[in-house]
Amino acid sequence: MTAPQRDEALRLDPGYRSLPERFYARVAPEPVSRPRLIAFNAPLAAALGLELDGADEAALASLWSGNQPERLGGTVAVAYAGHQFGQFVPQLGDGRALLLGDARGRDGIPREIQLKGSGRTPFSRGGDGRAALGPVMREYLVSEAMHALGISTTRALAAVATGETVWREGPLPGAILTRVAASHVRIGTFEYFAARGDRAALELLVDHVAQRHVPGVPIASPTALGLLAAVVERQACLVAAWMQVGFVHGVMNTDNTSIAGETIDFGPCAFLDTYDPATVFSSIDRHGRYGFANQPQAARWNLARLAETLLPMIDPAPERAVLLASAALEEFPRRFEAAWLDGMRRKLGLATARAEDTTLVRAWLDALHRGQVDYTVAFRDLAALAADGGRAREALRARFADPVDFDAWVPAWEARVAREPPLPPGARAAAMRRVNPAIIPRNHQIERAIAAAVGEGDFAPFTALSIALARPYDEVDARTAEYARPPAPGERVIRTFCGT
Ligand code: AMP
Ligand code: MG
């Protein structure tokens, strides 16, 4: 006998929907013909306090496709604007997404649930309001991988194939992703109201964000300046974490910059294989604006756009407002550098800070670049070297196209490690493995999983990859070796497409 099927409403808190009508448009999801569950994140559902234990696959597919709007409790498409590649667009908004409301999970923190790909809204412009299966799978895999890596991110609760075709360059299977975020408020949300001179809305938005208990850095004072300082801090820590794992977001527009400091929007994102700071994956990023090494600058630029929207609320005297906002923005490079260096030290097995560490880290990165070494593998191999100087050293050395930089750097690193408080080599290696993942969502693996699903309806590679990505810091074994391996030259993916 199967468990009784639960068909009650989700009973979410209205959250953002309690704000005035001009913050969003009330829209119901467009039904889909044959929803089929691809993935459901049961641990996340439980953490969010969603009571779906009895629901079978068909019930979950129906719920997360939006086919039962009465259970969702009202859905809205949220208004926002944004700077896209430096150009201001006064109206973007949820063109294919709907906000359901807040789940208040076990930790008491409200989290928004959103359907993405659920049909047209007043913000769709020319778009069809739908999402293709490939990008939905990519977001599911990469956002959950980011979470497993310990990086602040939106989560994936469910993925449903719609059974319908969406047209991009050609016909593609459609899908809907259920996304969970501490908040979907973006810098672009502030820009939307600032562009309309809607001071009252901006004040409501500041209050809304400040009152929300967003995980991570608390907002010290519920004012516009306190908010700016908190977002600066969160973005500095977030981008530092990206740089440490070799993540390239690819489309760091202000509409994709979360006030909560979560990684959001996984369209053209990708991880570095071979280390090259100039790496650009996204096909639409023609000038490399959002290339790997440019990400801190891009975040800072975006934060300046946020500051501009807050100026009148920071101080009624314009000059003083600019002074205060500039001081808050000035914290970004300082906080970024500190967070970045701190993380890089730990990646090199250093628990204490010394003045020469910046030079040591930069020399290592230069060596990886010139040696054309895989970024993730290099750090993981360095952990092995910390445990056992002999064979591991040769293995890592062999990864460098020309070992001259490696030979010069390792003695400097060993001398620096010798100035650390003593630690058994095994313990240092273990500490390094806790911050240096073996398994990251490599582009060739993601594309392989998508190709199998789109081409043959085979979701086994997707499921296997999901499982491997959930434990990125574990020792590699026979089961996971394939996912830890960098792409062979013929497998390397150097271009990604938004796929919207
Ligand atoms: P993104 O590139 O996903 O950050 O989206 C940028 C803007 O385009 C947002 O306003 C989206 O809602 C909108 N958009 C993207 N894809 C679609 C689509 N298929 N239909 C309607 N709007 C879309
Ligand atoms: Mg977006």
Side-chain angles (χ1 to χ4, degrees):
M1 217 174 79
T2 54
Q5 203 160 298
R6 307 180 66 121
D7 274 339
E8 303 104 54
L10 284 174
R11 279 194 291 275
L12 303 175
D13 296 337
Y16 199 82
R17 288 194 284 116
S18 329
L19 288 164
E21 294 279 337
R22 65 191 189 284
F23 282 70
Y24 48 75
R26 294 183 192 277
V27 191
E30 283 174 31
V32 304
S33 58
R34 280 176 296 122
R36 185 187 143 213
L37 194 70
I38 296 165
F40 178 63
N41 194 338
L44 178 58
L48 291 172
L50 301 175
E51 289 170 13
L52 296 167
D53 302 340
D56 61 17
E57 288 205 358
L60 290 170
S62 171
L63 177 64
W64 300 119
S65 68
N67 272 7
Q68 295 171 285
E70 68 285 358
R71 295 183 64 196
L72 305 178
T75 46
V76 297
V78 170
Y80 56 85
H83 277 85
Q84 299 189 311
F85 293 93
Q87 296 299 312
F88 185 59
V89 184
Q91 180 167 309
L92 290 163
D94 289 334
R96 52 160 169 174
L98 292 174
L99 182 65
L100 277 53
D102 284 347
R104 195 172 293 270
R106 284 194 207 122
D107 57 8
I109 297 170
R111 288 193 175 77
E112 290 182 348
I113 302 186
Q114 190 202 58
L115 296 182
K116 189 170 169 184
S118 47
R120 289 180 51 81
T121 79
F123 304 107
S124 299
R125 292 168 294 165
D128 59 2
R130 293 300 188 189
L133 177 59
V136 165
M137 290 173 66
R138 174 180 288 269
E139 175 154 351
Y140 197 104
L141 288 167
V142 183
S143 66
E144 285 304 299
M146 292 298 259
H147 173 74
L149 286 164
I151 297 174
S152 179
T153 181
T154 64
R155 305 281 309 271
L157 180 63
V160 174
T162 59
E164 293 172 1
T165 299
V166 297
W167 291 87
R168 296 296 179 258
E169 245 98 272
L172 289 171
I176 296 173
L177 181 82
T178 306
R179 174 160 82 183
V180 176
S183 165
H184 283 87
V185 175
R186 315 129 193 274
I187 291 181
T189 320
F190 285 87
E191 291 179 292
Y192 177 85
F193 293 110
R196 285 156 181 78
D198 191 342
R199 170 76 183 266
L202 285 166
E203 283 177 2
L204 285 170
L205 198 55
V206 169
D207 284 349
H208 170 82
V209 172
Q211 274 167 26
R212 231 179 139 75
H213 179 140
V214 179
V217 193
I219 295 178
S221 77
T223 60
L225 190 59
L227 172 71
L228 178 61
V231 182
V232 164
E233 171 73 17
R234 287 170 189 180
Q235 285 292 324
C237 292
L238 178 67
V239 178
W242 289 355
M243 304 302 283
Q244 283 154 16
V245 291
F247 178 74
V248 187
H249 182 280
V251 60
M252 289 177 69
N253 294 331
T254 57
D255 54 303
N256 294 333
T257 306
S258 153
I259 295 294
E262 291 181 331
T263 312
I264 188 166
D265 213 317
F266 295 83
C269 71
F271 280 70
L272 300 183
D273 293 306
T274 303
Y275 182 72
D276 180 351
T279 302
V280 177
F281 289 109
S282 172
S283 62
I284 57 168
D285 190 1
R286 288 197 196 86
H287 305 288
R289 180 184 175 96
Y290 301 137
F292 178 72
N294 294 340
Q295 297 185 111
Q297 256 321 108
R300 195 185 176 181
W301 192 90
N302 291 345
L303 290 163
R305 304 289 79 74
L306 174 64
E308 284 165 1
T309 71
L310 299 174
L311 283 176
M313 288 179 289
I314 288 177
D315 201 285
E319 296 92 75
R320 201 173 140 67
V322 169
L323 226 62
L324 291 168
S326 302
L329 289 172
E330 275 315 306
E331 282 296 298
F332 181 84
R334 216 180 53 77
R335 287 299 301 134
F336 170 79
E337 278 300 323
W340 180 79
L341 187 57
D342 185 56
M344 294 309 281
R345 274 195 188 104
R346 281 184 286 121
K347 284 173 78 74
L348 294 183
L350 307 174
T352 63
R354 299 191 74 93
E356 69 267 30
D357 294 346
T358 306
T359 311
L360 186 74
V361 171
R362 296 250 173 247
W364 172 243
L365 294 176
D366 286 346
L368 297 186
H369 185 200
R370 276 198 293 271
Q372 297 161 48
V373 187
D374 184 88
Y375 181 75
T376 302
V377 166
F379 282 95
R380 196 74 181 183
D381 276 9
L382 198 63
L385 203 163
D388 145 42
R391 276 205 324 201
R393 187 186 190 117
E394 279 319 302
L396 178 51
R397 188 175 190 273
R399 295 192 188 276
F400 286 73
D402 173 352
V404 55
D405 295 311
F406 177 79
D407 290 339
W409 185 83
V410 169
W413 175 67
E414 284 169 339
R416 174 62 184 82
V417 168
R419 303 179 80 172
E420 285 282 294
L423 204 62
R428 187 174 316 282
M432 289 173 74
R433 289 192 183 105
R434 282 196 292 275
V435 293
N436 290 306
I439 298 178
I440 52 162
R442 292 187 186 268
N443 234 350
H444 68 291
Q445 294 285 2
I446 294 171
E447 299 214 346
R448 193 171 292 167
I450 292 173
V454 173
E456 289 120 59
D458 175 11
F459 286 89
F462 167 81
T463 305
L465 180 55
S466 286
I467 292 167
L469 290 170
R471 307 202 56 92
Y473 299 106
D474 283 7
E475 285 304 343
V476 175
D477 58 26
R479 248 174 341 107
T480 55
E482 173 63 7
Y483 302 106
R485 180 178 68 75
E491 295 175 312
R492 209 167 279 153
V493 176
I494 56 163
R495 272 294 155 266
T496 55
F497 302 89
C498 254
T500 51

